[in-house]
Amino acid sequence: MEDSSLAHMRKNLSEAMKILGDGQRDHKATTERQHPGRTSIPGPLQGDGQDTATILQLLDNLIHEEEENEDKLFHQMPNVGEQGYMALLGHSLAAFISVLDIVRLRKLTTRILSDTTLWLCKLFRYENGSAYFHEDDRDGLVKVCRLVINARYEEYPSEGYAVLSYKQPVIYQSASGRPGLGQHLCSQLGLPLSSLCTVPCNTVFGSQHQMDIALLDKLIREDIEAGKIPLLLIANAGTPWTGHTDKLGRLRNLCDQYNIWLHAEGVNLATLALGQVTSAVMAANKSDSMTLTPGHWLGLPSTPAVTLYRQEDPALSLAAGLTSSLPAVKLRALPLWLSLQYLGNNGIIQRIRHATELNRQLIQKLESLASIQTLMEDELSSPVVLFKFSQESTSTSNGHSVEGFSTSEKELLDSFNRWLGEQLLQQVPLSGVDVVELGDGGTYVSFSPLQTAAVLGTQQEDVESLVAKLSELLPLISSTISLREDFREEIQRHSPMLKYIEDLTWPGLGAVRYEPQIEGVDESKEKQEMEKINTELLKKLQDLDTDIVFSTGPEFRKENFCVFIGMVTDDINLEELVDIIAAMGRDIEDSGRLLENMTEVVRKGILEAELQLQKANEEKLMEEGMIRQLPLVGSVLNWFAPVESSIKGRTFNLAAGFLASTEETYSTKVQAGRPPLQDTSTSSSKKLPGQRLFRRSEASSDSFGEANSTEEVEETKKDGVAASSLIMNEHFSQPAPEEDASTSSDDAPQYSVQMQPQIETDVVSEKQQLESQKMDQSGI
């Protein structure tokens, strides 16, 4: 019969996970999301308290608050699965068990610790071992180092760190080991950094990520001659980035020779649970200690890491902190105790085998991709697959081979491979790929399912999607790299208006800057003008209907006033792209200058117009005389003897900045300076239906030529009809005589040329209308 307290706890945990995991929100929660400041700013503690549902809803809002503030899509909580539920339940039960009476608590914690230790030692083939459970996966190694110090320095318990000054201890680690692990050990143990010895990896024979054993032997002998004590050696059973395993068998013999403690760690230790294990990994069970991370391998959230070790003296283990009589320390094993029982021996092995099969599947798929370079220790049992784009099978735009990469070419390839890894992770998130930097080896994309598959739930379909997406991105990278030099040449063709910006960290076609031709201004104003033009240019390019990405480039770049162009396909028309960038920049520069000078131009134009009108009024007064200016006499005199006004209108051209008379406008019936009607499309070449901007036509030359000839014939016919219509309209659209001679020049009628095509019946009807108007006027 289940205890009521345990049943109530299990029910509360299920409800809490449901509230946090299903993503369902009521109206009140939605209102809170619309005002994120209400939850992000700490407030006072409520006086009357709140119920459990309200508190959990507030926690749910806080979890997703960052996504909502950044306008991201709402993501549900990850599905931890039933085995993950057991691990989470273990944390709750550990707190519940800790309130039991001390007798029952000691008995229960001892049983839980013993069972978990026995299961792990048997599962990972580590006989006669003890287990230490710890939250930080480095803490077990720290405790092991203290154990070795207590064992090698007999006076250490009484004298402390003073005994270390006589014979300095030395800890050896591989250059391919976990970054920062040795420094963490020294800081926790109070040792100087000189106690840490980093052993280089092989440079001639064997893997470049395995420890050089011959050099290690030499370093140990030199330390012994210098009066130091070789204390501990950290070996890798699967390096963090490449998954390579050191020669553990030879290292075991070397450690026995010099009385050094051998500690093993790495992702390859998970394969010890399988039926078939490589000899290199099998040698790990002969090490003095090793650290396991079953939570990552089995998809168990918030479960502790485990350090298995062999030590016959319990007093040394107690002094080092590997064992404890505190029940709370022993209860760290409870989440694993529950999860291991839920999965069972077969379930644990099945999950580890599934991860290794995903590795084999990806390795087989990558073999069919010619432009992919892989880095693996063993194709049959490698826990980590590293791959990257390589130009070894491709060539640059000028046809030269790129087998010997220069420093700039390596940096450029690293940028593209970094972009490749980010795109794969974004578009296939369940694959769990990551980007790793291997120094001189360059940038690689890492696939380590033993670390991620159980947590993310990666399946074979996800590997298929990963390879399919990779097949789509590789031609894009290849075409972009091959066109970078051509793009540079096109930019130089528009120099000094356009300038190519060299940035090897940008994974794309390149960067370009429009430089306005400004003279006589200081440097700061010139930079402001340049930044303003390029910012506006970037906005206009982003508004174009094209699949090319235009951006401001990397966030850490100091110079933001340039346009970065992303990935392109091999059918891009670089000439058209650069021409449009130059034309847009020139238009923006001209528009900016026009707006800057508008105020001054308009002011000068108004003053000049006022002077000309004042002069015209004076001339009118001299021509008409004083009598015509009298109100009553002037009207009667104008009735009997009208005079034509000499004051002409004025038009102001903002673009040119000068005044002009309207006499020509009224005489020719056409507005002066009016541009002819024509096609003003931004593209320098005509596009076929459905063709995107900056793309070359994929149609055949014959069909394209036939379409162009047909289009030209139709345009010729239209132009002929329009021209004949224009002649007829100009002939038959003459203005009628003035009906009233006293009409002022300001009220003069305006005429415009009719540009639309007209048919013959319209011309006849217009002619008849003009004749009827003349007859009416003569009758008046």
Side-chain angles (χ1 to χ4, degrees):
M1 182 177 179
E2 185 179 7
D3 187 87
S4 59
S5 300
L6 294 177
H8 183 66
M9 179 184 303
R10 183 162 55 86
K11 179 181 178 182
N12 290 339
L13 179 61
S14 300
E15 293 178 353
M17 293 180 62
K18 182 179 180 181
I19 293 176
L20 296 177
D22 60 6
Q24 296 177 358
R25 307 193 177 190
D26 55 12
H27 177 71
K28 180 179 179 181
T30 305
T31 305
E32 290 292 334
R33 291 201 308 270
Q34 295 175 355
H35 303 280
R38 298 181 181 179
T39 56
S40 59
I41 300 177
L45 183 65
Q46 298 294 329
D48 297 334
Q50 302 182 44
D51 55 10
T52 304
T54 304
I55 298 174
L56 292 176
Q57 192 65 64
L58 175 61
L59 178 61
D60 186 37
N61 294 339
L62 292 175
I63 291 175
H64 299 285
E65 178 183 3
E66 182 179 356
E67 299 174 354
E68 293 155 1
N69 289 341
E70 297 179 359
D71 296 331
K72 294 182 178 179
L73 296 177
F74 173 73
H75 298 282
Q76 294 185 356
M77 294 290 290
N79 185 15
V80 296
E82 290 295 330
Q83 73 277 6
Y85 173 78
M86 297 301 296
L88 297 178
L89 182 61
H91 291 279
S92 301
L93 291 176
F96 173 77
I97 295 174
S98 63
V99 301
L100 298 176
D101 59 89
I102 188 64
V103 177
R104 297 175 60 187
L105 181 60
R106 287 178 178 176
K107 182 179 179 180
L108 180 60
T109 54
T110 302
R111 173 62 186 274
I112 292 173
L113 183 62
S114 301
D115 288 347
T116 311
T117 302
L118 177 63
W119 297 337
L120 290 174
C121 289
K122 184 178 181 180
L123 186 65
F124 295 99
R125 305 183 183 190
Y126 197 82
E127 299 178 356
N128 301 323
S130 301
Y132 172 66
F133 300 88
H134 45 95
E135 302 297 333
D136 190 344
D137 56 0
R138 302 171 299 180
D139 193 34
L141 182 56
V142 173
K143 295 295 192 297
V144 167
C145 287
R146 288 177 179 170
L147 172 66
V148 181
I149 291 176
N150 279 276
R152 297 294 301 273
Y153 294 88
E154 297 180 356
E155 299 178 355
Y156 181 78
S158 58
E159 299 295 333
Y161 291 101
V163 300
L164 303 180
S165 60
Y166 300 106
K167 289 187 176 182
Q168 182 180 358
V170 182
I171 300 174
Y172 302 91
Q173 69 169 2
S174 172
S176 298
R178 241 194 309 176
L181 179 61
Q183 290 79 357
H184 178 77
L185 289 177
C186 293
S187 64
Q188 294 297 315
L189 298 173
L191 299 176
L193 291 178
S194 57
S195 296
L196 180 64
C197 179
T198 301
V199 183
C201 295
N202 293 330
T203 56
V204 180
F205 302 102
S207 170
Q208 296 182 356
H209 301 276
Q210 288 180 342
M211 191 183 302
D212 192 335
I213 299 179
L215 184 57
L216 173 63
D217 188 8
K218 179 182 178 181
L219 293 174
I220 293 175
R221 285 188 277 104
E222 291 177 352
D223 290 335
I224 294 176
E225 294 175 357
K228 300 180 181 180
I229 296 181
L231 193 68
L232 181 140
L233 172 63
I234 306 173
N236 291 313
T239 55
W241 306 130
T242 62
H244 288 204
T245 302
D246 293 326
K247 295 179 175 60
L248 298 178
R250 294 182 58 186
L251 292 177
R252 176 73 274 177
N253 298 332
L254 191 65
C255 290
D256 292 339
Q257 178 182 352
Y258 295 105
N259 191 21
I260 300 176
W261 185 283
L262 178 61
H263 178 83
E265 65 174 19
V267 66
N268 247 341
L269 295 176
T271 59
L272 289 171
L274 301 178
Q276 296 180 352
V277 187
T278 60
S279 58
V281 180
M282 183 62 73
N285 58 12
K286 302 299 182 181
S287 60
D288 298 303
S289 61
M290 63 181 183
T291 297
L292 310 176
T293 55
H296 296 291
W297 305 338
L298 305 177
L300 306 176
S302 190
T303 50
V306 184
T307 296
L308 303 179
Y309 64 97
R310 295 187 181 98
Q311 179 55 245
E312 297 179 356
D313 190 354
L316 293 178
S317 300
L318 182 62
L322 289 171
T323 59
S324 176
S325 59
L326 297 176
V329 177
K330 296 181 179 180
L331 282 175
R332 293 175 183 171
L334 183 56
L336 271 177
W337 185 79
L338 294 174
S339 301
L340 293 178
Q341 291 187 89
Y342 179 83
L343 292 173
N345 187 78
N346 296 334
I348 296 172
I349 296 176
Q350 190 275 333
R351 277 167 171 75
I352 297 176
R353 181 179 292 112
H354 173 69
T356 58
E357 290 175 354
L358 293 177
N359 258 353
R360 295 192 186 99
Q361 179 186 0
L362 180 60
I363 293 173
Q364 294 176 358
K365 297 292 183 180
L366 292 179
E367 292 177 354
S368 60
L369 301 178
S371 57
I372 283 294
Q373 177 183 347
T374 58
L375 177 62
M376 293 169 293
E377 181 183 25
D378 186 0
E379 293 186 359
L380 299 178
S381 61
S382 179
V384 181
V385 180
L386 295 178
F387 60 93
K388 69 176 182 179
F389 170 81
S390 176
Q391 278 189 321
E392 294 180 356
S393 59
T394 60
S395 60
T396 57
S397 59
N398 53 14
H400 297 293
S401 176
V402 291
E403 294 180 357
F405 296 135
S406 62
T407 304
S408 59
E409 289 174 339
K410 289 181 179 179
E411 186 177 357
L412 181 63
L413 287 176
D414 289 343
S415 302
F416 278 91
N417 282 290
R418 195 176 299 110
W419 175 86
L420 176 63
E422 293 172 355
Q423 290 296 316
L424 292 176
L425 179 60
Q426 179 181 359
Q427 301 183 30
V428 192
L430 294 182
S431 64
V433 296
D434 194 10
V435 178
V436 297
E437 306 286 346
L438 299 182
D440 295 337
T443 302
Y444 280 84
V445 181
S446 172
F447 179 71
S448 180
L450 276 174
Q451 296 280 19
T452 61
V455 178
L456 299 176
T458 309
Q459 301 298 326
Q460 294 183 356
E461 295 79 8
D462 300 317
V463 177
E464 295 287 346
S465 301
L466 178 66
V467 176
K469 183 56 63 176
L470 184 61
S471 302
E472 295 178 6
L473 296 178
L474 289 179
L476 194 62
I477 296 177
S478 179
S479 61
T480 303
I481 293 179
S482 63
L483 291 172
R484 281 179 66 96
E485 187 62 29
D486 296 336
F487 179 70
R488 180 202 296 266
E489 295 176 358
E490 286 293 332
I491 294 298
Q492 293 176 352
R493 186 169 58 87
H494 289 76
S495 180
M497 183 185 305
L498 297 181
K499 181 179 180 181
Y500 181 82
I501 306 300
E502 183 70 31
D503 191 345
L504 299 177
T505 63
W506 173 249
L509 187 62
V512 59
R513 176 192 297 155
Y514 183 87
E515 296 189 346
Q517 306 303 313
I518 305 177
E519 299 180 357
V521 296
D522 55 359
E523 183 178 357
S524 60
K525 186 176 180 181
E526 183 179 359
K527 287 186 176 181
Q528 293 178 359
E529 183 68 17
M530 186 183 303
E531 182 177 3
K532 178 181 178 182
I533 293 177
N534 284 277
T535 301
E536 185 66 22
L537 175 62
L538 175 61
K539 293 180 180 179
K540 289 183 176 294
L541 290 173
Q542 290 175 342
D543 293 337
L544 295 178
D545 183 18
T546 178
D547 52 2
I548 301 178
V549 177
F550 302 94
S551 66
T552 56
E555 297 180 357
F556 54 85
R557 184 177 177 85
K558 296 181 180 179
E559 297 180 350
N560 294 326
F561 40 95
C562 53
V563 178
F564 285 81
I565 304 173
M567 297 289 182
V568 295
T569 55
D570 54 0
D571 62 341
I572 184 175
N573 191 336
L574 290 179
E575 182 179 0
E576 179 186 1
L577 172 63
V578 177
D579 289 345
I580 289 182
I581 292 177
M584 283 186 173
R586 191 185 310 110
D587 293 342
I588 295 173
E589 181 182 5
D590 295 341
S591 300
R593 291 181 179 179
L594 177 62
L595 292 176
E596 290 179 358
N597 300 329
M598 185 68 69
T599 304
E600 184 66 21
V601 170
V602 171
R603 187 183 66 84
K604 292 181 178 180
I606 293 175
L607 293 178
E608 184 178 356
E610 290 179 350
L611 293 176
Q612 293 185 9
L613 290 177
Q614 182 179 1
K615 183 178 180 181
N617 287 327
E618 293 177 355
E619 293 177 354
K620 177 183 177 182
L621 180 61
M622 296 297 295
E623 292 176 0
E624 298 180 355
M626 292 297 298
I627 299 178
R628 290 184 179 271
Q629 307 306 319
L630 298 177
L632 183 58
V633 179
S635 300
V636 176
L637 187 58
N638 288 333
W639 175 265
F640 289 101
V643 295
E644 183 179 357
S645 176
S646 62
I647 300 179
K648 304 298 182 182
R650 296 292 186 270
T651 177
F652 183 72
N653 192 330
L654 289 178
F658 64 87
L659 287 172
S661 175
T662 59
E663 184 177 0
E664 182 181 359
T665 302
Y666 295 130
S667 61
T668 61
K669 315 300 185 295
V670 180
Q671 184 177 353
R674 183 175 181 177
L677 297 177
Q678 59 183 1
D679 186 13
T680 58
S681 61
T682 58
S683 177
S684 60
S685 60
K686 296 183 179 179
K687 299 296 178 182
L688 295 178
Q691 184 180 355
R692 300 298 297 275
L693 195 60
F694 309 132
R695 299 297 176 195
R696 292 193 296 268
S697 174
E698 298 180 357
S700 62
S701 59
D702 296 338
S703 60
F704 182 66
E706 182 180 354
N708 285 342
S709 61
T710 305
E711 184 179 355
E712 291 176 358
V713 171
E714 293 180 355
E715 290 181 355
T716 304
K717 293 181 179 180
K718 293 180 180 179
D719 293 341
V721 174
S724 59
S725 175
L726 176 59
I727 296 174
M728 288 185 291
N729 286 331
E730 288 180 342
H731 180 72
F732 293 107
S733 298
Q734 298 298 329
E738 295 183 359
E739 299 180 2
D740 190 354
S742 63
T743 304
S744 64
S745 62
D746 295 336
D747 297 333
Q750 298 181 3
Y751 301 94
S752 60
V753 179
Q754 302 294 326
M755 302 296 293
Q756 293 80 7
Q758 303 290 332
I759 60 176
E760 185 177 358
T761 55
D762 293 337
V763 176
V764 175
S765 61
E766 185 178 1
K767 182 177 180 180
Q768 293 176 354
Q769 292 178 2
L770 291 174
E771 292 178 353
S772 61
Q773 290 178 4
K774 292 181 180 180
M775 293 175 62
D776 295 339
Q777 292 175 1
S778 60
I780 293 174

